[in-house]
Amino acid sequence: MAAAALREKQAPIKDQYKQDPSSAVVTLSSSGTLDSSSITCKINTGKAVHDAKQKIAGLHQKAGGDDPDVSGELCSGDMLLEALVACAGVTLKAVATALDIPIKSGTVKAEGDLDFKGTMGVDRNAPVGFRAIRLEFDLKLQPGAEVPEEKIEKLGKLTERYCVVLQTIAKKPELSVSLHGTQNTEEGIDKTLSWGQKG
């Protein structure tokens, strides 16, 4: 029943993407704020997600998911951008502290362009995943601070170099994927199902 319900929900979405390919492209975004109090980055989320005791990953609306403001569900693409913003923000604050660059406040924003024709299997040539990601920092320094241009350039380069999430995205790590399951047969015997791939 669940398979039929999902197919029924996704069928008109897939038809729309076939008729109007540009309607499948969406830009997801995440942002965070920096302040002078600590080496942290506060991630901005919607109220439903903020109030939830745990984050729930679900389908994006462009893939047949519910309204995230109602369900409180996050698309995994949103979560990836949140992780990038958080890591980049904390890394920048740590580097700025080490370089003695006095940041009063700031924002970190990540945007990613996603084509749902790929992940929905509508177009095999469309990429599955983000086709472009943009990361941007907007900083305000403490009043009276005089920071030379070279130091700001160093801050940018070192933040890029030492941000774990950014470097993981930029340099594809060695990946392995495995899937395991069990199925109870009519004879009452557990049958093991497995699949694995290394790439």
Side-chain angles (χ1 to χ4, degrees):
M1 288 298 273
L6 181 61
R7 278 195 296 271
E8 186 179 332
K9 193 168 189 179
Q10 288 184 335
I13 298 171
K14 289 182 176 185
D15 288 342
Q16 180 188 346
Y17 295 164
K18 287 174 187 171
Q19 293 168 18
D20 180 12
S22 65
S23 67
V25 180
V26 66
T27 298
L28 304 180
S29 66
S30 180
S31 64
T33 56
L34 310 172
D35 61 34
S36 60
S37 67
S38 61
I39 300 176
T40 58
C41 179
K42 296 180 181 98
I43 305 300
N44 302 324
T45 58
K47 183 173 178 359
V49 175
H50 182 268
D51 293 345
K53 290 185 180 172
Q54 62 181 352
K55 288 188 176 181
I56 300 170
L59 290 173
H60 189 278
Q61 285 175 290
K62 291 273 190 178
D66 296 323
D67 181 347
D69 289 334
V70 175
S71 67
E73 295 175 0
L74 279 176
C75 161
S76 299
D78 292 319
M79 295 171 116
L80 176 66
L81 293 179
E82 278 192 349
L84 176 58
V85 165
C87 188
V90 170
T91 304
L92 180 128
K93 277 301 303 278
V95 172
T97 301
L99 294 176
D100 199 24
I101 298 174
I103 294 174
K104 180 183 178 185
S105 63
T107 58
V108 186
K109 184 175 182 181
E111 288 185 338
D113 302 326
L114 195 55
D115 186 343
F116 278 90
K117 293 190 302 297
T119 194
M120 295 283 283
V122 172
D123 179 354
R124 290 193 179 274
N125 294 319
V128 176
F130 289 106
R131 61 184 187 190
I133 294 177
R134 295 169 296 282
L135 180 63
E136 182 180 301
F137 300 92
D138 186 8
L139 306 176
K140 285 187 173 49
L141 301 182
Q142 293 287 1
E146 290 186 27
V147 181
E149 196 76 33
E150 311 85 67
K151 222 172 183 182
I152 295 298
E153 183 179 337
K154 191 172 184 181
L155 174 63
K157 285 181 177 178
L158 292 177
T159 298
E160 180 181 7
R161 180 176 178 180
Y162 294 115
C163 176
V164 171
V165 175
L166 190 151
Q167 287 302 320
T168 301
I169 294 169
K171 298 175 181 163
K172 182 182 173 188
E174 183 178 303
L175 294 172
S176 62
V177 181
S178 61
L179 185 150
H180 305 280
T182 56
Q183 180 181 32
N184 193 276
T185 64
E186 289 180 9
E187 295 82 28
I189 301 168
D190 283 345
K191 179 182 175 184
T192 301
L193 310 166
S194 64
W195 170 86
Q197 182 172 317
K198 192 171 183 177

